[in-house]
């Protein structure tokens, strides 16, 4: 694991965007797994700037959203699809047909999950998977106890995740979601995990330095051959030297 430290979330976001920009320039058809939430916002802002001011070209880039909430109406502003569209995708020149989202409106959700796995395979696999980490160690919506070999599937959200999400959803917090599995995530050729803020310090230390256990889903990243972790000082504060 390569661990890189930054002064604050702005610097971290810029560094993450710079790395993504380099990979896109090297391979204009890069297949990227994208996340939502608070963590990637400074990175996405910088990517939009690089597209506008430096001509970073996304016209052939392919994206797959990591997860999605179940039970929300299709155009709800807090679906992962809406969040990604607003924060990033609508500002780039990526082609609609290259943007993949989990289909929570499908009458057959298990089938939709299998289809997603097939779409990832048909795209040649994920070149770069972006990740954030929940305070309980979740990756995507793979909550503690998720099997390391899990695939894209429907999951129940943990109480901790629902508590965290209630700041956005109020009393209408989703109970279930769809997420790429830990096995799916680990097949990405390269992983970039981002974390900022003191609330993540303890779980970052457990995930990076603690035992590899399904109780801390992110600990599986210790086994990935090409995982870069970008942290701000606060998120890194519990890592022993
Ligand atoms: C979102 C996702 C989640 C978040 C994690 C951290 O697509 O995959 O695992 O990355 O919950 O959320 P924030 O960034 O809001 O702290």
């Amino acid at each position: 694991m390569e661990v890189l430290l930054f002064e604050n979330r702005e610097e971290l976001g810029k560094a993450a965007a710079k790395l993504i920009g380099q990979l896109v320039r090297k391979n204009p058809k890069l297949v990227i797994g994208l996340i939502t939430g608070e963590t990637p916002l400074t990175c996405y802002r910088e990517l939009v700037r690089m597209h506008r001011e430096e001509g970073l070209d996304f016209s052939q880039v392919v994206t797959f959203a990591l997860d999605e909430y179940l039970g929300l109406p299709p155009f709800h502003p807090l679906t992962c699809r809406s969040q990604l569209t607003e924060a990033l995708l609508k500002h780039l020149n990526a082609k609609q047909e290259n943007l993949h989202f989990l289909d929570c409106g499908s009458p057959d959700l298990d089938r939709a999950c299998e289809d997603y796995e097939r779409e990832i395979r048909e795209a040649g696999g994920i070149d770069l998977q972006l990740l954030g980490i929940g305070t309980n160690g979740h990756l995507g919506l793979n909550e503690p106890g998720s099997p390391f070999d899990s695939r894209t599937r429907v999951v129940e959200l943990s109480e901790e995740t629902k508590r965290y999400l209630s700041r956005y959803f109020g009393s209408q917090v989703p109970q279930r979601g769809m997420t790429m599995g830990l096995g799916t995530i680990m097949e990405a050729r390269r992983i970039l995990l981002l974390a900022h803020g003191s609330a993540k310090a303890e779980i970052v230390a457990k995930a990076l330095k603690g035992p590899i256990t399904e109780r801390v889903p992110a600990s599986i990243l210790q086994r990935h051959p090409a995982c870069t972790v970008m942290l701000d000082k606060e998120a890194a504060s519990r890592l022993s030297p």
Side-chain angles (χ1 to χ4, degrees):
M1 262 185 177
E2 177 190 33
V3 181
L4 305 174
L5 300 189
F6 298 90
E7 196 58 35
N8 53 45
R9 65 186 64 182
E10 277 69 34
E11 296 305 313
L12 180 150
K14 281 184 191 159
K18 189 171 169 193
L19 174 62
I20 295 170
Q22 281 165 353
L23 295 174
V24 169
R25 286 193 178 98
K26 209 161 129 195
N27 173 13
K29 297 182 177 175
L30 198 75
V31 180
I32 313 178
L34 292 174
I35 51 169
T36 51
E38 188 74 22
T39 303
L41 294 179
T42 52
C43 167
Y44 290 169
R45 253 200 310 275
E46 177 68 3
L47 282 175
V48 172
R49 189 201 64 74
M50 288 162 76
H51 169 62
R52 286 192 179 139
E53 295 177 14
E54 298 170 12
L56 184 61
D57 180 22
F58 288 84
S59 62
Q60 299 179 78
V61 164
V62 177
T63 68
F64 285 89
L66 178 62
D67 47 12
E68 187 55 279
Y69 303 117
L70 276 171
L72 301 176
F75 297 106
H76 191 289
L78 291 177
T79 63
C80 294
R81 183 182 189 131
S82 300
Q83 289 186 50
L84 273 176
T85 304
E86 285 304 313
L88 181 68
L89 298 171
K90 78 173 189 188
H91 307 288
L92 306 178
N93 64 335
K95 292 208 179 71
Q96 200 59 43
E97 66 262 30
N98 290 340
L99 311 180
H100 299 265
F101 302 95
L102 283 154
D103 181 8
C104 283
S106 168
D108 185 342
L109 293 173
D110 292 337
R111 177 74 188 274
C113 290
E114 282 166 27
D115 288 347
Y116 208 61
E117 291 272 339
R118 185 179 40 73
E119 285 168 32
I120 293 172
R121 276 196 305 277
E122 285 173 1
I126 291 177
D127 293 309
L128 177 70
Q129 179 64 54
L130 212 53
L131 291 175
I133 183 171
T135 49
N136 63 357
H138 75 199
L139 294 178
L141 293 172
N142 292 283
E143 303 286 23
S146 297
F148 280 160
D149 61 358
S150 51
R151 310 302 305 185
T152 302
R153 68 202 186 289
V154 173
V155 291
E156 301 286 328
L157 272 55
S158 69
E159 290 307 316
E160 189 166 344
T161 297
K162 286 191 267 190
R163 247 191 328 273
Y164 173 75
L165 290 175
S166 64
R167 74 181 68 175
Y168 304 109
F169 286 93
S171 56
Q172 306 293 312
V173 175
Q175 305 295 309
R176 297 191 304 156
M178 287 163 96
T179 183
M180 284 187 208
L182 295 171
T184 321
I185 289 170
M186 286 295 282
E187 283 171 10
R189 282 182 272 280
R190 185 160 183 181
I191 285 181
L192 176 57
L193 172 70
L194 309 178
H196 60 62
S198 53
K200 300 289 173 71
E202 196 178 328
I203 194 64
V204 162
K206 275 191 190 153
L208 271 54
K209 303 281 185 184
I212 300 175
T213 162
E214 289 177 354
R215 287 193 303 278
V216 182
S219 64
I220 191 162
L221 297 177
Q222 294 180 37
R223 288 194 188 142
H224 195 281
C227 178
T228 300
V229 183
M230 292 187 175
L231 306 172
D232 75 349
K233 275 184 166 174
E234 290 181 343
S237 61
R238 299 288 289 272
L239 285 176
S240 41

